[in-house]
Amino acid sequence: MDKIKNLFTVTSSPHIKAADDTRSIMLTVLFALIAPGIMSIVYYGLRPLIVILVSVASCVAFEALYCLLMKRKQTIGDFSAAVTGVLLAYVLPPSVPYWIPVIGALFAIIVVKMLFGGIGCNIVNPALAARAFLMSWPVIMTTFPKVFSKLSLGVLNAADVVTSPTVLTVLESGPKAAVLPSLLDMFIGEANGCIGETSSLFLLIGFFILVVRKVITWHIPVFYVGTVAVITFIFPMYGFSNLDFMLYNLLSGGLLLGAVFMATDYVTSPITRSGKIIYAVGCGLLTVFIRYFGSNPEGVCSAILIMNILAIFIDKITRPKRYGTGGGAVNVK
Amino acid sequence: MLSTFKGGIHPDSNKSGTAASPIEKMPQSPYYIFPLTQHIGAPCTPLVSVGDHVCLGQKLADSESPLSAPIFSSVSGTVTAIEPRYTVSGYKTDSIVIENDFKDTVCNTFLPLPENKTFEEYTSEDIIDIARNAGLVGMGGAAFPTSFKLKCALDKQVDTVIFNGSECEPYITSDHRAMLEYPRFIFGGIKLILKCLHLDKAYIAIEDNKKDAIETMRSFVEGTKIEVKELKTKYPQGGEKQLIRSVLGYEIAPGKLPLDAGVVIFNIDTCAALYRAVYSKLPLTKRIVTVSGEMVTQRKNLLVRLGTPIADVINYCGGLKNGAKKIVIGGPMMGFAQHSLEVPIVKSSSAVLALEYDAKKYDSVSNNCIRCGKCIDACPMKLMPNIINLSLKNNAIEDYNEYNVSDCVECGSCAYVCPQRLHLVQAMKIAKEEAKRSVKKNG
């Protein structure tokens, strides 16, 4: 019996684990991100696909390189760098030169993620922080090609791109003057903007995949979008009807991409149920305020980044009430 | 709506392999090992010495302390050693080793029962004495001496009794089979306990994945004031604080026992053991053990004599399959992993599991919390396991109590759901100990 003695593994309980680990969760997120990406290829040709691939490859490579140089355990196997890569590409216009995602990946992975300690330790969402950083090239980052304008795959000159302002910019000139896409077109995808923003429909499908696979709960996306919906419905601007203004706001400017895939990032959102709700409402309020009063028509990126910073403080004020001290507890003599 | 509590998890029940297998009597083994501590409380001191001949049901060890339970021989034979042996906890504990003579000579000193009394005439003290003299402890896993629990419940004048047949741990079906095969014994024990506590109202709590057991128990309690409560199948439904929340609808205040709220809980197998002691005039010498897991050749429910080495139990079930990496005594959520097969079955061993252990599946790429919050949603005690884990990592001892680590029941729900595979229960256990120590130090 002594021979087989040492073959058994001894650990603390529990001895069974749920099927989902970080890797499988990240793969599910990648799966949910496929559909919105395909829509961008439908509208702009293969160029966005190359941007996505460059971004993912750079993110994974930078993380691998960092672990190698710092003699740390290799962490690319959890696929979180790949998710950051896709998300980074999704918040870039499809016409960006290919060095933009590389610079973005460098900032997202090295500065925002790895220098803070790797997965789980970053304060802000790496992809969004990289987007904010890339705003240092404002022309590149705010040039949006028209949908169905096939982009060439090589070096793009500004003159080659048939540009079109985004819906949020057009919105400011009112319902009559502007050439607005119909709401249905916007829902299905014919709204120009960043790579991942094109199709509200496919972003919603992504939302359902994440909720059904229990990667996220519905709270953050619903409260985020809900807050934006309520305020834009009550306070329409530029002469729009309440409903139109609300719907154009919901379907444009990366709100759904941000609410479903960015604001729900585990690491940078609060950990408690009630904290998530406060955080999502905060994201919604900031988004609307920036859209109403800011010089930038878009507000999602800054709103989420600001709430990211507040997340751990929200955790502190939303600790679950201790068991046996809430309503219905027994008062023991 | 079925009654339940907040939080918890839904692991694969894995009970189908044994839920329909009738309880089999396991044949005798050549050697039996009886650790002197098989319960919460004072260890027993041996009453026999090496070389003594003992008979079936003979008292081997006892203690003066009220918080203890005597230990009895489950076979007849010769005491060959009294020495430290490995037990379920992984430590060596003083144990009495008996070589079986396969004669099953029964003691002429039967379990002392009150003389010239029928069941109906037993007093509370009689029943407490029987529980003590039969060596009964909670058979669900906690192994709290039954006589002491009854005495406290009587002193505190509890008004609510819950009989726990929820059996929420995956794989285990010993209580389930007991409810199907020995309902008369369970019901007899329930009547004795209620008589002891001067009560007639009680609940029997069973998870809704055991419909047949619910039906059986319902047919027995017809016409009494005992109610069979069907609970939602969710882990850890059988934990005492969760059970009270589910059955009675309220939470027990922090640091308080169910007794403080006038509630006492007994495992249904403990009831059966109490009745069996009265009925057969024999102390506790066997129990039902579920042998299961992917890596055991045949899954069975066995009636095993206490003291049987688990090697014999596993061999009787056809042995281990190739690739068995983990042997667990108890359930997969709260049981103890064993390094040795010489460990004996004791009063609280409800299962022996042979599991595969895929290190790849159970180890994470990094040890960082990714703040998904799944452990917080899963914790049935409303704790923040990830924050306590972080405090432990940062050696922030003052945070352990700030985050109420002492409330942790070590059910394992947090570690089960953690996608980073962090060893959260291990962290909670360490933090609990350190918190206790720091409180002591600071007075």
Side-chain angles (χ1 to χ4, degrees):
Chain A
M1 203 178 298
D2 271 3
K3 267 189 191 165
I4 55 169
K5 214 180 199 175
N6 295 325
L7 291 178
F8 299 120
T9 311
V10 177
T11 68
S12 173
S13 58
H15 308 292
I16 50 171
K17 302 272 169 90
D20 279 334
D21 61 2
T22 305
R23 179 198 297 251
S24 71
I25 287 172
M26 292 300 164
L27 284 173
T28 307
V29 175
L30 286 174
F31 177 71
L33 282 166
I34 290 174
I38 288 175
M39 284 312 276
S40 75
I41 297 166
V42 170
Y43 289 123
Y44 304 107
L46 283 176
R47 191 173 176 96
L49 180 65
I50 300 175
V51 174
I52 294 168
L53 293 178
V54 169
S55 177
V56 171
S58 319
C59 282
V60 174
F62 283 129
E63 183 161 325
L65 203 64
Y66 184 89
C67 291
L68 203 70
L69 291 177
M70 294 293 151
K71 299 195 171 74
R72 288 221 199 145
K73 204 176 154 193
Q74 198 53 259
T75 53
I76 53 170
D78 61 24
F79 289 107
S80 64
V83 170
T84 300
V86 177
L87 289 176
L88 171 62
Y90 279 17
V91 291
L92 300 176
S95 54
V96 290
Y98 298 132
W99 55 267
I100 280 278
V102 178
I103 301 284
L106 182 74
F107 189 79
I109 295 296
I110 304 295
V111 179
V112 181
K113 185 180 178 189
M114 300 314 280
L115 285 182
F116 279 79
I119 186 171
C121 301
N122 47 301
I123 312 276
V124 291
N125 185 308
L128 286 181
R131 181 186 149 91
F133 173 71
L134 291 173
M135 281 300 187
S136 318
W137 290 271
V139 177
I140 292 173
M141 290 299 287
T142 53
T143 303
F144 296 99
K146 221 174 144 65
V147 289
F148 294 124
S149 60
K150 286 270 180 272
L151 297 170
S152 86
L153 300 183
V155 179
L156 276 178
N157 295 316
D160 301 338
V161 184
V162 187
T163 63
S164 152
T166 64
V167 174
L168 280 176
T169 316
V170 178
L171 224 49
E172 289 176 8
S173 35
K176 289 193 184 90
V179 203
L180 275 172
S182 78
L183 284 164
L184 182 68
D185 283 347
M186 284 182 67
F187 182 67
I188 294 167
E190 252 177 80
N192 64 338
C194 294
I195 292 175
E197 305 175 351
T198 42
S199 170
S200 302
L201 174 66
F202 282 102
L203 288 168
L204 283 178
I205 292 173
F207 171 65
F208 283 114
I209 293 172
L210 294 184
V211 170
V212 168
R213 283 284 287 104
K214 294 193 174 155
V215 172
I216 60 169
T217 59
W218 55 269
H219 300 81
I220 290 178
V222 169
F223 276 92
Y224 187 170
V225 175
T227 304
V228 174
V230 168
I231 297 182
T232 50
F233 185 81
I234 299 175
F235 304 108
M237 287 179 74
Y238 319 122
F240 281 92
S241 76
N242 300 42
L243 191 65
D244 277 359
F245 189 71
M246 179 187 88
L247 289 174
Y248 275 115
N249 262 287
L250 295 192
L251 297 177
S252 64
L255 177 66
L256 286 176
L257 179 68
V260 174
F261 290 99
M262 303 287 191
T264 56
D265 173 25
Y266 289 155
V267 180
T268 54
S269 62
I271 46 182
T272 61
R273 215 30 93 74
S274 50
K276 285 180 173 139
I277 295 171
I278 293 174
Y279 163 90
V281 171
C283 284
L285 290 175
L286 284 172
T287 302
V288 178
F289 291 158
I290 295 168
R291 284 186 181 183
Y292 276 16
F293 309 115
S295 58
N296 186 351
E298 168 63 279
V300 173
C301 176
S302 319
I304 297 176
L305 285 174
I306 293 167
M307 292 312 290
N308 281 169
I309 297 167
L310 295 176
I312 53 169
F313 300 103
I314 296 173
D315 286 345
K316 288 212 160 99
I317 57 165
T318 56
R319 275 172 48 184
K321 207 160 182 176
R322 189 176 188 183
Y323 189 91
T325 59
V330 179
N331 288 322
V332 178
K333 305 133 215 165
Chain B
M1 270 289 273
L2 290 168
S3 315
T4 193
F5 61 98
K6 271 187 191 153
I9 54 168
H10 298 275
D12 277 348
S13 84
N14 275 312
K15 289 177 193 271
S16 57
T18 51
S21 328
I23 300 165
E24 259 178 71
K25 248 190 196 166
M26 194 186 136
Q28 301 188 35
S29 297
Y31 282 93
Y32 286 80
I33 304 159
F34 300 91
L36 296 177
T37 313
Q38 301 193 13
H39 48 260
I40 290 175
C44 294
T45 37
L47 304 172
V48 293
S49 4
V50 176
D52 284 4
H53 181 268
V54 296
C55 44
L56 172 61
Q58 183 175 333
K59 197 189 275 183
L60 296 176
D62 203 351
S63 156
E64 301 274 292
S65 164
L67 184 59
S68 188
I71 289 150
F72 299 88
S73 180
S74 58
V75 286
S76 62
T78 316
V79 178
T80 58
I82 300 178
E83 62 186 19
R85 289 288 184 108
Y86 282 114
T87 54
V88 174
S89 62
Y91 296 109
K92 281 189 170 176
T93 307
D94 282 335
S95 306
I96 298 171
V97 184
I98 291 174
E99 187 182 355
N100 190 359
D101 64 8
F102 292 93
K103 285 181 189 146
D104 263 355
T105 327
V106 181
C107 280
N108 45 16
T109 51
F110 286 111
L111 178 73
L113 289 179
E115 276 169 45
N116 305 324
K117 279 186 182 174
T118 61
F119 282 6
E120 280 66 35
E121 291 163 352
Y122 283 0
T123 63
S124 299
E125 288 68 34
D126 290 340
I127 296 166
I128 292 171
D129 283 347
I130 291 168
R132 169 78 193 200
N133 291 329
L136 295 188
V137 300
M139 311 273 281
F144 193 85
T146 307
S147 59
F148 195 75
K149 199 187 234 184
L150 281 170
K151 205 169 160 330
C152 293
L154 196 62
D155 291 347
K156 288 248 181 184
Q157 297 180 316
V158 302
D159 48 23
T160 313
V161 191
I162 303 172
F163 295 102
N164 186 2
S166 52
E167 204 166 47
C168 57
E169 278 261 16
Y171 293 98
I172 309 181
T173 53
S174 58
D175 286 354
H176 185 184
R177 291 310 304 178
M179 287 188 278
L180 293 179
E181 296 183 43
Y182 309 128
R184 212 163 50 83
F185 283 74
I186 294 169
F187 192 59
I190 286 174
K191 279 204 292 196
L192 282 169
I193 288 172
L194 291 181
K195 184 156 180 49
C196 175
L197 301 176
H198 310 299
L199 296 169
D200 54 359
K201 261 171 60 179
Y203 299 95
I204 301 175
I206 307 172
E207 280 189 345
D208 69 334
N209 60 356
K210 294 179 268 291
K211 297 270 186 215
D212 44 358
I214 292 170
E215 247 168 63
T216 312
M217 294 318 290
R218 280 211 171 121
S219 69
F220 265 85
V221 300
E222 232 165 79
T224 69
K225 288 184 178 168
I226 303 166
E227 186 190 338
V228 177
K229 271 261 186 187
E230 188 173 345
L231 305 180
K232 194 174 162 190
T233 301
K234 181 160 85 166
Y235 180 85
Q237 190 66 267
E240 58 180 21
K241 290 197 170 177
Q242 283 64 48
L243 197 64
I244 289 171
R245 173 69 182 73
S246 299
V247 174
L248 305 172
Y250 54 72
E251 296 178 352
I252 299 290
K256 296 291 177 188
L257 295 169
L259 279 177
D260 299 319
V263 186
V264 65
I265 300 170
F266 292 93
N267 176 267
I268 50 107
D269 204 22
T270 313
C271 304
L274 176 64
Y275 185 77
R276 198 175 284 120
V278 174
Y279 180 80
S280 65
K281 297 190 176 60
L282 264 177
L284 181 62
T285 56
K286 18 182 146 163
R287 68 155 298 138
I288 309 165
V289 178
T290 300
V291 187
S292 189
E294 294 74 35
M295 286 297 147
V296 68
T297 311
Q298 297 158 338
R299 303 183 186 203
K300 288 176 191 290
N301 294 300
L302 295 176
L303 190 62
V304 182
R305 294 179 189 229
L306 299 179
T308 311
I310 55 169
D312 294 345
V313 175
I314 290 170
N315 283 337
Y316 180 68
C317 295
L320 296 174
K321 290 185 195 166
N322 271 342
K325 278 283 161 61
K326 221 176 199 186
I327 306 296
V328 175
I329 294 188
M333 294 302 297
M334 289 188 76
F336 292 90
Q338 304 298 318
H339 69 277
S340 159
L341 294 179
E342 290 169 73
V343 168
I345 295 291
V346 291
K347 293 173 182 176
S348 57
S349 316
S350 48
V352 175
L353 307 177
L355 305 172
E356 52 191 339
Y357 184 82
D358 185 354
K360 244 189 196 163
K361 196 175 147 197
Y362 288 134
D363 279 351
S364 71
V365 175
S366 64
N367 295 324
N368 295 344
C369 167
I370 57 167
R371 295 170 44 84
C372 65
K374 284 179 196 279
C375 56
I376 297 168
D377 288 343
C379 181
M381 294 306 293
K382 302 185 183 171
L383 297 174
M384 301 174 92
N386 60 335
I387 301 287
I388 295 170
N389 182 49
L390 196 67
S391 309
L392 185 75
K393 231 171 147 181
N394 297 337
N395 217 6
I397 298 174
E398 65 282 1
D399 276 359
Y400 304 162
N401 288 322
E402 172 67 25
Y403 284 89
N404 309 322
V405 69
S406 60
D407 288 357
C408 174
V409 294
E410 296 170 23
C411 68
S413 300
C414 52
Y416 175 85
V417 295
C418 180
Q420 281 288 79
R421 308 296 191 212
L422 300 179
H423 302 295
L424 293 172
V425 175
Q426 196 171 325
M428 299 295 271
K429 284 180 179 174
I430 297 168
K432 262 167 104 171
E433 281 304 311
E434 287 192 5
K436 250 189 248 166
R437 227 177 291 151
S438 77
V439 167
K440 258 185 214 157
K441 219 189 286 168
N442 303 330

